[in-house]
Amino acid sequence: MSNQTPIDGVPGDGRSLSITMARLAAIVGDRATSAPGVRSDHGRSEAYHAASPPDVVVFPETTAEVQAIVALCRELNLPIVPFGAGTSLEGNAAALHGGVCLDMGRMNKVIEVHPEDMDVRVQPGVTRKQLNAYLRDTGLFFPIDPGADASIGGMTSTRASGTMAVRYGTMKDNVLSLEVVLPDGRAIRTAQRARKSAAGYDLTRLFTGAEGTLGVITEITLKLHPQPEAISSAVCAFPDLQAAVNTAIALIQSGVPVARVELLDAVMMRGMNLHSKLGLPEVPHLFFEFHGSQAYVGEQAETAQAIAADFGGQGFQWATSPEERSRLWHARENTLYAGLALRPGAKAMITDVCVPISRLAECLDATSADIAESGLIAPVVGHVGDGNFHLLVLIKPDDGEELQRAKAFNDRLIRRAIALEGTCTGEHGVGVGKMDFLPLELGDAVDVMRLLKEAIDPASIMNPGKIFRARPPVEGDAS
């Protein structure tokens, strides 16, 4: 169980800020700071959850430095919170108990590329855009695109996915191996570079999605994919949300290997027109992207257009030049700001559920009715090719009644998804926002997760207070 207090919280216990800073300086020099502005920047993210700044922010540059910092924190019983690009949406990197934030941004090297094996080894601070720029001349690319220019370490920690998961999978499908510093200071490697292995427990998958609660990721080995010969994108308007969803379902069930198929409802299209000046009809749309040879892309596109027409899709617009595609997908990546344009001064509570694709229309229909009944402004955007969708519930930060209404709506949405055999989070992770829903979704499996946490991190110094609540004390247990 976690019993940490912020540094300076217990006078005379050897954890005063000055002592901690002096010992950190012996490891990293001037790359440790308790400056209020830096701490504040590392206590917040793009989530609606309250900010929780750490006591100290440290900028390690090597695995050895991370090991020394972790060993010091274990000695002083200080919480450790790994931090990437700060784009998380469920308070995943909030320092709930203060302590030491490890900003991994300076560990941003591409260590080695193996073009013949189509893999790459990177440090956790490398961002996805930085990685793909580095790979441009190799004929390979890394396809996982969560929208934001997130760090590879953060994407691994939250098991991210995004717009191209329907074709290329999620982080769990594309991480081959990890180097992880454990709470006791040891650095382990979870696997070799082989594309498959039956050697013991799958530790790579265990740490992928653990949100920093089991250790600090210091290296990631990733699968790469060939850059497609041809790429074509398109948008198509639909008379209603159900027609757009049914098109996406039919497309996937027909076996068309679409690279991306994204849903935007009429409200989101209005926001995108305001923010990105797209000039598209303010009705539900699907955004498509196809990868492959010139001939193959053409065949996929024709099939998609025919399926869309069967459901009333109109006005297929093609974006074949790099500039047109970039404009289209840049607008899609900026849906957060497009949504906020609908209500200046609002903050977005961003939801994240995923259901089996056959239940997607049912879930979205019920959710649309719930939005209307609740009186909330909540544009929909979704990776509908794999059943994952989000709503940007726009709320005034100082309106307590509206916040409670939004939270109640989010609660109903998550329960609806789980009832349809879905999940409370398709890609954002649990963090602090989804902890109470995990037992509803997974039952006793949460106890197994807790047992693993207690075995690997008995002092609970690794990102405490995330994913699940601490084990309730047993009567007579002095711990």
Side-chain angles (χ1 to χ4, degrees):
M1 288 170 43
S2 174
N3 60 355
Q4 300 96 345
T5 55
I7 298 172
D8 274 340
V10 182
D13 71 347
R15 291 192 292 141
S16 71
L17 182 59
S18 59
I19 293 174
T20 302
M21 289 297 294
R23 296 190 65 180
L24 286 170
I27 300 170
V28 298
D30 61 0
R31 286 179 281 115
T33 179
S34 59
V38 179
R39 292 173 50 231
S40 176
D41 287 344
H42 289 77
R44 60 173 178 251
S45 64
E46 294 183 3
Y48 71 92
H49 307 284
S52 297
D55 297 299
V56 178
V57 180
V58 187
F59 298 85
E61 293 182 348
T62 66
T63 296
E65 287 184 349
V66 173
Q67 289 182 271
I69 295 164
V70 169
L72 175 62
C73 290
R74 178 181 173 121
E75 176 190 341
L76 301 181
N77 197 33
L78 294 175
I80 300 168
V81 182
F83 187 92
T87 59
S88 61
L89 293 168
E90 290 294 350
N92 313 70
L96 302 179
H97 299 271
V100 176
C101 172
L102 286 182
D103 185 317
M104 309 302 285
R106 295 197 183 193
M107 294 182 67
N108 62 352
K109 295 181 177 62
V110 177
I111 300 170
E112 57 184 8
V113 182
H114 300 103
E116 66 283 1
D117 294 319
M118 296 195 298
D119 67 49
V120 62
R121 185 159 60 98
V122 303
Q123 291 183 312
V126 174
T127 69
R128 66 175 185 88
K129 289 183 179 179
Q130 177 190 350
L131 176 58
N132 279 322
Y134 187 95
L135 295 170
R136 188 171 292 127
D137 295 333
T138 67
L140 303 169
F141 83 121
F142 182 66
I144 308 305
D145 177 4
D149 189 20
S151 69
I152 299 298
M155 290 169 62
T156 303
S157 290
T158 55
R159 200 162 37 197
S161 51
T163 59
M164 288 198 273
V166 63
R167 173 157 182 168
Y168 297 101
T170 73
M171 287 300 288
K172 73 177 176 62
D173 304 302
N174 288 277
V175 175
L176 288 171
S177 176
L178 297 170
E179 180 184 79
V180 182
V181 174
L182 299 177
D184 62 9
R186 286 181 297 165
I188 65 166
R189 192 166 296 279
T190 61
Q192 300 277 34
R193 286 198 301 118
R195 284 298 176 110
K196 65 178 184 179
S197 171
Y201 293 171
D202 191 344
L203 296 181
T204 304
R205 290 282 185 92
L206 176 63
F207 286 97
T208 301
E211 301 184 31
T213 62
L214 299 177
V216 182
I217 295 171
T218 50
E219 285 184 11
I220 306 104
T221 302
L222 299 166
K223 292 180 185 177
L224 299 177
H225 297 259
Q227 294 175 12
E229 174 191 323
I231 300 174
S232 182
S233 298
V235 296
C236 183
F238 291 87
D240 52 50
L241 200 61
Q242 187 168 42
V245 173
N246 286 337
T247 298
I249 293 171
L251 191 69
I252 299 304
Q253 292 177 340
S254 298
V256 177
V258 61
R260 306 197 234 199
V261 54
E262 297 287 294
L263 169 72
L264 301 100
D265 75 345
V267 182
M268 180 56 79
M269 291 304 301
R270 184 162 67 251
M272 292 182 73
N273 282 339
L274 285 169
H275 182 73
S276 300
K277 315 299 181 189
L278 289 182
L280 292 171
E282 292 176 2
V283 296
H285 275 69
L286 289 179
F287 284 28
F288 302 93
E289 186 165 279
F290 308 95
H291 293 180
S293 66
Q294 290 285 359
Y296 193 46
V297 163
E299 291 174 5
Q300 294 176 45
E302 288 178 9
T303 301
Q305 189 166 359
I307 290 172
D310 289 341
F311 292 98
Q314 296 182 343
F316 242 80
Q317 295 186 32
W318 296 100
T320 53
S321 73
E323 295 78 16
E324 291 173 325
R325 292 199 310 272
S326 177
R327 180 170 180 263
L328 184 68
W329 291 106
H330 181 73
R332 165 60 187 87
E333 287 181 357
N334 283 279
T335 48
L336 170 59
Y337 306 106
L340 294 174
L342 294 166
R343 195 179 185 192
K347 194 168 179 66
M349 176 188 290
I350 305 176
T351 69
D352 168 39
V353 296
C354 187
V355 297
I357 193 168
S358 64
R359 313 299 296 272
L360 181 60
E362 180 183 354
C363 191
L364 274 169
D365 281 347
T367 300
S368 296
D370 198 354
I371 294 170
E373 188 174 339
S374 69
L376 295 165
I377 301 174
V380 177
V381 57
H383 318 308
V384 289
D386 49 23
N388 186 198
F389 68 93
H390 315 282
L391 295 97
L392 279 64
V393 187
L394 303 175
I395 55 175
K396 292 291 185 181
D398 56 353
D399 189 332
E401 184 277 331
E402 189 171 56
L403 176 60
Q404 291 308 311
R405 199 155 28 103
K407 286 182 175 179
F409 166 78
N410 189 43
D411 183 283
R412 293 191 298 273
L413 170 66
I414 293 169
R415 292 177 184 277
R416 181 180 306 122
I418 292 173
L420 293 173
E421 299 180 274
T423 177
C424 66
T425 173
E427 57 187 8
H428 293 170
V430 176
V432 297
K434 299 290 180 67
M435 285 197 299
D436 291 334
F437 299 104
L438 206 60
L440 179 65
E441 178 178 335
L442 297 175
D444 289 345
V446 177
D447 291 332
V448 177
M449 295 181 194
R450 189 178 285 110
L451 287 170
L452 288 168
K453 166 74 170 172
E454 291 172 350
I456 296 171
D457 182 21
S460 193
I461 62 171
M462 289 293 178
N463 205 9
K466 309 296 170 56
I467 301 185
F468 42 75
R469 303 193 185 281
R471 176 177 57 88
V474 177
E475 187 175 349
D477 184 354
S479 65

Short mmCIF file of all heavy atoms in Angstrom, two decimals, residues 77-114:
data_model
loop_
_atom_site.label_atom_id
_atom_site.label_comp_id
_atom_site.label_asym_id
_atom_site.label_seq_id
_atom_site.Cartn_x
_atom_site.Cartn_y
_atom_site.Cartn_z
N ASN A 77 11.56 6.32 -0.03
CA ASN A 77 10.12 6.03 -0.14
C ASN A 77 9.37 7.17 -0.82
O ASN A 77 8.31 7.62 -0.38
CB ASN A 77 9.50 5.76 1.24
CG ASN A 77 8.16 5.07 1.13
OD1 ASN A 77 7.94 4.28 0.22
ND2 ASN A 77 7.25 5.38 2.05
N LEU A 78 9.94 7.65 -1.92
CA LEU A 78 9.34 8.75 -2.68
C LEU A 78 8.62 8.21 -3.91
O LEU A 78 9.15 7.35 -4.62
CB LEU A 78 10.42 9.73 -3.14
CG LEU A 78 11.15 10.52 -2.05
CD1 LEU A 78 12.24 11.35 -2.67
CD2 LEU A 78 10.17 11.40 -1.28
N PRO A 79 7.44 8.73 -4.22
CA PRO A 79 6.76 8.33 -5.45
C PRO A 79 7.55 8.75 -6.69
O PRO A 79 8.24 9.77 -6.69
CB PRO A 79 5.43 9.09 -5.39
CG PRO A 79 5.28 9.50 -3.97
CD PRO A 79 6.65 9.68 -3.42
N ILE A 80 7.43 7.94 -7.74
CA ILE A 80 8.08 8.22 -9.02
C ILE A 80 6.98 8.26 -10.08
O ILE A 80 6.19 7.33 -10.20
CB ILE A 80 9.08 7.13 -9.40
CG1 ILE A 80 10.18 7.02 -8.34
CG2 ILE A 80 9.69 7.38 -10.77
CD1 ILE A 80 11.04 5.77 -8.49
N VAL A 81 6.94 9.33 -10.86
CA VAL A 81 5.95 9.46 -11.92
C VAL A 81 6.68 9.70 -13.24
O VAL A 81 7.21 10.79 -13.47
CB VAL A 81 4.96 10.61 -11.65
CG1 VAL A 81 3.91 10.68 -12.76
CG2 VAL A 81 4.29 10.45 -10.29
N PRO A 82 6.73 8.71 -14.15
CA PRO A 82 7.33 8.94 -15.47
C PRO A 82 6.46 9.90 -16.28
O PRO A 82 5.22 9.85 -16.19
CB PRO A 82 7.35 7.55 -16.10
CG PRO A 82 7.18 6.59 -14.95
CD PRO A 82 6.34 7.31 -13.96
N PHE A 83 7.09 10.74 -17.08
CA PHE A 83 6.38 11.78 -17.84
C PHE A 83 6.92 11.82 -19.25
O PHE A 83 8.13 11.82 -19.47
CB PHE A 83 6.59 13.13 -17.16
CG PHE A 83 5.77 14.26 -17.72
CD1 PHE A 83 4.53 14.57 -17.18
CD2 PHE A 83 6.24 15.02 -18.77
CE1 PHE A 83 3.77 15.61 -17.69
CE2 PHE A 83 5.49 16.06 -19.29
CZ PHE A 83 4.25 16.37 -18.75
N GLY A 84 6.01 11.81 -20.24
CA GLY A 84 6.40 11.86 -21.64
C GLY A 84 6.19 13.23 -22.25
O GLY A 84 6.86 14.20 -21.90
N ALA A 85 5.18 13.34 -23.12
CA ALA A 85 4.90 14.62 -23.79
C ALA A 85 3.76 15.38 -23.11
O ALA A 85 3.43 16.49 -23.53
CB ALA A 85 4.57 14.38 -25.26
N GLY A 86 3.14 14.78 -22.10
CA GLY A 86 2.07 15.48 -21.39
C GLY A 86 0.75 15.53 -22.13
O GLY A 86 -0.07 16.41 -21.89
N THR A 87 0.51 14.57 -23.04
CA THR A 87 -0.72 14.57 -23.83
C THR A 87 -1.78 13.61 -23.31
O THR A 87 -2.80 13.40 -23.96
CB THR A 87 -0.42 14.22 -25.30
OG1 THR A 87 0.20 12.93 -25.36
CG2 THR A 87 0.51 15.25 -25.93
N SER A 88 -1.55 13.01 -22.14
CA SER A 88 -2.49 12.00 -21.64
C SER A 88 -3.82 12.65 -21.27
O SER A 88 -3.91 13.85 -21.00
CB SER A 88 -1.91 11.29 -20.42
OG SER A 88 -1.66 12.22 -19.36
N LEU A 89 -4.87 11.82 -21.25
CA LEU A 89 -6.23 12.34 -21.10
C LEU A 89 -6.97 11.80 -19.89
O LEU A 89 -8.12 12.16 -19.67
CB LEU A 89 -7.03 12.03 -22.37
CG LEU A 89 -6.56 12.79 -23.61
CD1 LEU A 89 -7.20 12.21 -24.87
CD2 LEU A 89 -6.85 14.27 -23.50
N GLU A 90 -6.35 10.93 -19.11
CA GLU A 90 -7.02 10.40 -17.92
C GLU A 90 -6.19 10.64 -16.65
O GLU A 90 -6.27 9.86 -15.71
CB GLU A 90 -7.31 8.91 -18.09
CG GLU A 90 -8.38 8.59 -19.13
CD GLU A 90 -9.78 9.10 -18.75
OE1 GLU A 90 -9.98 9.53 -17.59
OE2 GLU A 90 -10.67 9.05 -19.62
N GLY A 91 -5.40 11.70 -16.64
CA GLY A 91 -4.58 11.98 -15.46
C GLY A 91 -3.51 10.94 -15.23
O GLY A 91 -3.04 10.76 -14.10
N ASN A 92 -3.05 10.29 -16.32
CA ASN A 92 -2.11 9.16 -16.19
C ASN A 92 -0.79 9.56 -15.56
O ASN A 92 -0.14 8.76 -14.90
CB ASN A 92 -1.85 8.55 -17.57
CG ASN A 92 -3.11 8.32 -18.37
OD1 ASN A 92 -3.73 9.27 -18.81
ND2 ASN A 92 -3.51 7.08 -18.57
N ALA A 93 -0.34 10.82 -15.77
CA ALA A 93 0.95 11.26 -15.25
C ALA A 93 0.82 12.31 -14.15
O ALA A 93 1.78 13.00 -13.84
CB ALA A 93 1.82 11.80 -16.38
N ALA A 94 -0.35 12.41 -13.54
CA ALA A 94 -0.52 13.34 -12.43
C ALA A 94 0.21 12.81 -11.20
O ALA A 94 0.14 11.62 -10.89
CB ALA A 94 -2.01 13.52 -12.12
N ALA A 95 0.90 13.68 -10.49
CA ALA A 95 1.66 13.28 -9.30
C ALA A 95 0.74 13.38 -8.08
O ALA A 95 0.81 14.32 -7.29
CB ALA A 95 2.89 14.15 -9.13
N LEU A 96 -0.09 12.39 -7.91
CA LEU A 96 -1.13 12.44 -6.87
C LEU A 96 -0.55 12.51 -5.47
O LEU A 96 -1.18 13.06 -4.57
CB LEU A 96 -2.04 11.20 -6.99
CG LEU A 96 -2.76 11.01 -8.32
CD1 LEU A 96 -3.59 9.74 -8.28
CD2 LEU A 96 -3.63 12.20 -8.66
N HIS A 97 0.64 11.95 -5.28
CA HIS A 97 1.29 11.94 -3.97
C HIS A 97 2.58 12.77 -3.97
O HIS A 97 3.46 12.56 -3.14
CB HIS A 97 1.61 10.50 -3.55
CG HIS A 97 0.40 9.64 -3.41
ND1 HIS A 97 -0.32 9.52 -2.24
CD2 HIS A 97 -0.24 8.85 -4.32
CE1 HIS A 97 -1.34 8.70 -2.43
NE2 HIS A 97 -1.31 8.27 -3.68
N GLY A 98 2.67 13.71 -4.92
CA GLY A 98 3.90 14.48 -5.02
C GLY A 98 5.03 13.61 -5.49
O GLY A 98 4.88 12.76 -6.36
N GLY A 99 6.24 13.83 -4.91
CA GLY A 99 7.37 12.99 -5.24
C GLY A 99 8.16 13.50 -6.43
O GLY A 99 8.21 14.71 -6.70
N VAL A 100 8.78 12.56 -7.16
CA VAL A 100 9.73 12.87 -8.22
C VAL A 100 9.14 12.53 -9.57
O VAL A 100 8.75 11.38 -9.81
CB VAL A 100 11.05 12.10 -8.00
CG1 VAL A 100 12.01 12.36 -9.16
CG2 VAL A 100 11.69 12.51 -6.68
N CYS A 101 9.08 13.51 -10.44
CA CYS A 101 8.64 13.30 -11.83
C CYS A 101 9.87 13.07 -12.68
O CYS A 101 10.80 13.88 -12.68
CB CYS A 101 7.85 14.51 -12.32
SG CYS A 101 7.47 14.46 -14.09
N LEU A 102 9.89 11.98 -13.42
CA LEU A 102 10.97 11.68 -14.36
C LEU A 102 10.53 12.12 -15.75
O LEU A 102 9.76 11.42 -16.41
CB LEU A 102 11.30 10.19 -14.37
CG LEU A 102 12.05 9.61 -13.18
CD1 LEU A 102 12.32 8.14 -13.42
CD2 LEU A 102 13.35 10.34 -12.96
N ASP A 103 10.97 13.30 -16.19
CA ASP A 103 10.68 13.76 -17.53
C ASP A 103 11.66 13.09 -18.48
O ASP A 103 12.87 13.32 -18.44
CB ASP A 103 10.81 15.28 -17.60
CG ASP A 103 10.40 15.84 -18.96
OD1 ASP A 103 10.76 15.24 -19.99
OD2 ASP A 103 9.71 16.88 -19.00
N MET A 104 11.13 12.23 -19.36
CA MET A 104 11.99 11.40 -20.22
C MET A 104 12.33 12.10 -21.54
O MET A 104 12.89 11.49 -22.45
CB MET A 104 11.30 10.07 -20.51
CG MET A 104 10.81 9.34 -19.26
SD MET A 104 12.12 8.98 -18.08
CE MET A 104 12.95 7.62 -18.90
N GLY A 105 12.02 13.39 -21.64
CA GLY A 105 12.18 14.10 -22.91
C GLY A 105 13.60 14.17 -23.44
O GLY A 105 13.81 14.30 -24.65
N ARG A 106 14.61 14.11 -22.54
CA ARG A 106 16.00 14.17 -23.02
C ARG A 106 16.53 12.80 -23.44
O ARG A 106 17.61 12.73 -24.03
CB ARG A 106 16.89 14.77 -21.94
CG ARG A 106 16.56 16.22 -21.63
CD ARG A 106 17.69 16.89 -20.88
NE ARG A 106 17.34 18.25 -20.52
CZ ARG A 106 18.22 19.16 -20.09
NH1 ARG A 106 19.49 18.83 -19.97
NH2 ARG A 106 17.82 20.38 -19.77
N MET A 107 15.80 11.76 -23.14
CA MET A 107 16.16 10.43 -23.64
C MET A 107 15.42 10.24 -24.96
O MET A 107 14.43 9.52 -25.06
CB MET A 107 15.81 9.35 -22.61
CG MET A 107 16.63 9.47 -21.34
SD MET A 107 16.30 8.17 -20.11
CE MET A 107 16.92 6.70 -20.94
N ASN A 108 15.91 10.94 -25.98
CA ASN A 108 15.17 11.03 -27.24
C ASN A 108 15.99 10.62 -28.44
O ASN A 108 15.89 11.20 -29.52
CB ASN A 108 14.64 12.46 -27.43
CG ASN A 108 15.76 13.50 -27.50
OD1 ASN A 108 16.92 13.18 -27.28
ND2 ASN A 108 15.40 14.73 -27.81
N LYS A 109 16.81 9.59 -28.28
CA LYS A 109 17.65 9.12 -29.37
C LYS A 109 17.04 7.90 -30.05
O LYS A 109 16.46 7.03 -29.40
CB LYS A 109 19.05 8.75 -28.85
CG LYS A 109 19.84 9.93 -28.30
CD LYS A 109 21.22 9.46 -27.83
CE LYS A 109 22.07 10.64 -27.35
NZ LYS A 109 21.46 11.32 -26.18
N VAL A 110 17.18 7.88 -31.38
CA VAL A 110 16.94 6.65 -32.14
C VAL A 110 18.24 5.86 -32.07
O VAL A 110 19.26 6.28 -32.62
CB VAL A 110 16.54 6.95 -33.58
CG1 VAL A 110 16.37 5.64 -34.37
CG2 VAL A 110 15.26 7.78 -33.64
N ILE A 111 18.23 4.75 -31.36
CA ILE A 111 19.48 4.04 -31.04
C ILE A 111 19.98 3.24 -32.24
O ILE A 111 21.16 3.32 -32.60
CB ILE A 111 19.27 3.12 -29.82
CG1 ILE A 111 18.85 3.97 -28.60
CG2 ILE A 111 20.54 2.32 -29.51
CD1 ILE A 111 18.39 3.15 -27.42
N GLU A 112 19.11 2.45 -32.86
CA GLU A 112 19.54 1.67 -34.02
C GLU A 112 18.33 1.26 -34.83
O GLU A 112 17.25 0.99 -34.29
CB GLU A 112 20.34 0.43 -33.59
CG GLU A 112 19.61 -0.51 -32.65
CD GLU A 112 20.49 -1.67 -32.18
OE1 GLU A 112 21.70 -1.66 -32.48
OE2 GLU A 112 19.95 -2.59 -31.53
N VAL A 113 18.52 1.22 -36.15
CA VAL A 113 17.49 0.77 -37.08
C VAL A 113 18.01 -0.48 -37.79
O VAL A 113 19.17 -0.54 -38.20
CB VAL A 113 17.16 1.86 -38.13
CG1 VAL A 113 16.05 1.38 -39.06
CG2 VAL A 113 16.77 3.16 -37.47
N HIS A 114 17.15 -1.48 -37.92
CA HIS A 114 17.48 -2.70 -38.66
C HIS A 114 16.52 -2.79 -39.85
O HIS A 114 15.47 -3.44 -39.76
CB HIS A 114 17.35 -3.94 -37.78
CG HIS A 114 18.24 -3.92 -36.57
ND1 HIS A 114 17.78 -3.63 -35.31
CD2 HIS A 114 19.58 -4.14 -36.45
CE1 HIS A 114 18.78 -3.68 -34.45
NE2 HIS A 114 19.89 -3.99 -35.11
#
